[in-house]
Amino acid sequence: MKRLPIDGLNHVTPPASPIVEATLELVRDVARRRFADYPGDWAGFAAEGADTLVTAADIEAVEGKLLASGHRFDWSASISAAERPEAYKPAAGAEDASDFSFEHPQAVIAPGDDAGREQRGVGDNVVRHEKNVIGTARYIRSNARVLAYLTDGVPPGTIAVIDDSGGTLTAPIIEQFTGVICAGGSVRSHLGILSREYGIPCLMNARVSGLRDGDRVEIEATAQAKTTEDYQTGTERIGRIWRLPAEDIR
Amino acid sequence: MSPRHLAFHGLAIKRLADASAVAGLVGLPPAVVSSELAKAVATGRAMEAKGGFTLAPLARVALEASYGGLYGDLREDAAFEAAYQRFEVINRSLKQVITDWQTMEVRGERVANDHSDDAYDAKVIDRLAGIHEKIEPVLKALAAKLPRLGIYLEKLTEALEQAEDGDIEWVSDIRRESYHTVWFELHEDLLRIMGTVRDE
């Protein structure tokens, strides 16, 4: 493997700030990969290769990864936050009230039934439970939210709405969920395995629409579990997801 | 590998853990990990919550970007790569076995396994033992190139033996180093080394 001159210098003290360290590591990672593709040695790469081989898109990807971690840059002129709200810390008071919803093209929805339950989607039940479960839908898709829940605890009655079927993001707080709606994976995914182990009702491969943070939801945990054979034969076996009237607390 | 890297790497795999759990995973003295994690908290690289530590998001980004430089040679090593691919194949069977451990077919329906049927459980544990037999040479091949990975075979063997001796919590219980817990961590470790992402 071709190395950067700085690789392996263990005596290099880490940068003081986490954002500087993350940026440097990401830029080095790009340089390392581009250098690997360059036929010559480091001196040649530094003198002539780097300018063309490391592209603007590479550096945009570096910024993208920093932002994906939840980091927002400080700004000195508020025009920065106005022009690129996704990259900068919001101006005071501009914190967004989340109106986000998963919108799956195959979400099976239905108008309200007698109890006022409005079907907002379906998913694959990982195991059948005795009772359906009711709680408050909370999207958990950012590190910031996981960390806040880790520190302050997950609010009671939380039905986590997530899209990470490996459980990578939510693993440390999964135990505190009342239910899980996961937009990906299958009943054999790691998240499926974890939720069964904790006895938490969970629908995987969920196809939902119009389900927003704070909605009261009911998961059909009593639905039959989807089986390996069902996936192989394409058999439809689903658990339903309803949005409940706000005042409905059972 | 620097102690700082190993401590961060172990913490990333464990997600939320104390110093001794991280130390046991990456083969460092607990005191060394304690000191690294204390420094990490002081410099904004980690947070302490609910009796454990967790990596800060930017520290996770930096860690993930560093793997290419640290494990580039391993990624290009044909024997290591072949063993890793073998792991991924066996991993699919493992997930099926764990699912069959947690659920069973009763009158044509998949229901939670309440572990009242000893014969059923014994059969699944037998299948787990079969997987263990297959993964043993794979883990030895991996550890031949990266010795610290040898710890996983020790832990998996320990969990399987406990389960075979009748303590069935050792199959998949999340609160201990059960077979599935250790396997999950092993998978996470390998994904990081190879620079790939979990498919589900």
Side-chain angles (χ1 to χ4, degrees):
Chain A
M1 187 192 85
K2 287 165 87 173
R3 287 187 166 73
L4 306 185
I6 197 167
D7 283 344
L9 295 183
N10 284 335
H11 62 269
V12 175
T13 312
S17 107
I19 183 68
V20 172
E21 182 176 6
T23 307
L24 282 178
E25 288 289 358
L26 286 166
V27 170
R28 278 176 199 152
D29 185 47
V30 172
R32 212 176 279 120
R33 285 183 281 122
R34 298 292 171 260
F35 180 38
D37 296 336
Y38 178 76
D41 62 8
W42 174 257
F45 179 77
E48 52 156 35
D51 286 349
T52 48
L53 289 172
V54 177
T55 63
D58 285 335
I59 300 304
E60 278 163 22
V62 165
E63 191 196 64
K65 283 181 184 163
L66 296 171
L67 294 177
S69 80
H71 181 79
R72 293 297 174 269
F73 295 99
D74 292 308
W75 44 264
S76 51
S78 60
I79 185 78
S80 302
E83 286 183 341
R84 292 195 65 210
E86 77 285 4
Y88 290 95
K89 288 178 182 158
E95 213 54 74
D96 67 321
S98 176
D99 200 30
F100 176 82
S101 167
F102 286 146
E103 294 298 339
H104 196 284
Q106 283 144 29
V108 182
I109 58 173
D113 60 15
D114 294 346
R117 301 188 304 179
E118 198 183 305
Q119 189 176 322
R120 293 318 312 181
V122 296
D124 303 346
N125 195 9
V126 303
V127 72
R128 202 168 64 74
H129 286 259
E130 286 300 308
K131 289 194 333 206
N132 288 353
V133 65
I134 293 176
T136 306
R138 292 195 172 89
Y139 280 88
I140 303 180
R141 307 180 68 226
S142 71
N143 280 311
R145 195 147 211 195
V146 171
L147 288 171
Y149 284 167
L150 199 55
T151 315
D152 306 332
V154 175
T158 290
I159 295 198
V161 189
I162 60 189
D163 51 4
D164 157 37
S165 60
T168 310
L169 186 66
T170 49
I173 52 172
I174 238 174
E175 199 174 357
Q176 302 177 52
F177 297 153
T178 299
V180 174
I181 297 170
C182 179
S186 76
V187 300
R188 284 164 296 167
S189 298
H190 272 295
L191 182 64
I193 291 175
L194 294 178
S195 58
R196 273 194 296 269
E197 200 60 37
Y198 282 122
I200 298 168
C202 169
L203 301 184
M204 299 295 295
N205 186 29
R207 288 138 282 166
V208 301
S209 167
L211 192 62
R212 297 204 155 67
D213 214 84
D215 282 350
R216 288 198 61 76
V217 288
E218 177 172 348
I219 298 180
E220 192 180 17
T222 53
Q224 286 196 350
K226 184 122 174 169
T227 65
T228 307
E229 295 74 38
D230 290 341
Y231 286 110
Q232 283 160 355
T233 56
T235 304
E236 186 76 351
R237 198 188 301 276
I238 46 130
R240 288 169 288 179
I241 297 159
W242 295 278
R243 185 169 65 196
L244 305 180
E247 71 279 10
D248 183 0
I249 297 167
R250 282 186 255 172
Chain B
M1 293 305 151
S2 71
R4 180 179 191 261
H5 168 77
L6 282 174
F8 284 19
H9 176 67
L11 186 55
I13 291 171
K14 287 274 181 193
R15 308 207 175 285
L16 177 65
D18 61 21
S20 72
V22 172
L25 192 76
V26 298
L28 285 175
V32 172
V33 175
S34 281
S35 134
E36 288 297 338
L37 294 184
K39 272 190 274 180
V41 171
T43 58
R45 264 56 169 210
M47 273 90 58
E48 212 172 344
K50 312 254 171 220
F53 295 88
T54 191
L55 271 190
L58 283 173
R60 207 169 299 162
V61 170
L63 177 71
E64 277 156 22
S66 73
Y67 287 126
L70 295 169
Y71 292 115
D73 289 334
L74 269 187
R75 287 179 188 179
E76 290 172 7
D77 186 303
F80 193 86
E81 157 78 13
Y84 166 68
Q85 292 303 341
R86 185 90 188 103
F87 171 87
E88 284 291 348
V89 172
I90 301 171
N91 180 54
R92 288 199 276 278
S93 311
L94 185 276
K95 286 203 278 189
Q96 185 63 55
V97 170
I98 297 296
T99 299
D100 291 344
W101 174 255
Q102 295 175 315
T103 64
M104 64 194 300
E105 198 99 358
V106 177
R107 290 185 291 279
E109 208 199 312
R110 272 270 141 192
V111 297
N113 179 6
D114 63 4
H115 301 294
S116 59
D117 182 344
D118 289 346
Y120 178 89
D121 281 1
K123 238 164 67 186
V124 182
I125 291 178
D126 273 354
R127 285 167 63 204
L128 192 63
I131 289 201
H132 192 71
E133 243 169 66
K134 284 194 202 140
I135 205 67
E136 213 175 320
V138 173
L139 280 171
K140 283 181 177 158
L142 293 168
K145 304 286 180 177
L146 185 61
R148 72 166 177 81
L149 294 178
I151 190 75
Y152 290 108
L153 183 56
E154 285 173 34
K155 288 177 186 237
L156 288 171
T157 305
E158 165 75 11
L160 179 64
E161 280 171 0
Q162 295 278 4
E164 285 179 330
D165 289 349
D167 196 347
I168 61 171
E169 294 291 316
W170 284 88
V171 175
S172 62
D173 182 28
I174 293 168
R175 293 172 189 86
R176 71 180 75 197
E177 294 198 316
S178 66
Y179 205 90
H180 179 255
T181 300
V182 175
W183 187 283
F184 187 86
E185 289 172 357
L186 165 62
H187 195 188
E188 187 66 33
D189 206 335
L190 293 175
L191 290 167
R192 287 167 178 275
I193 291 167
M194 300 307 288
T196 48
V197 287
R198 195 183 289 278
D199 57 351
E200 55 172 277

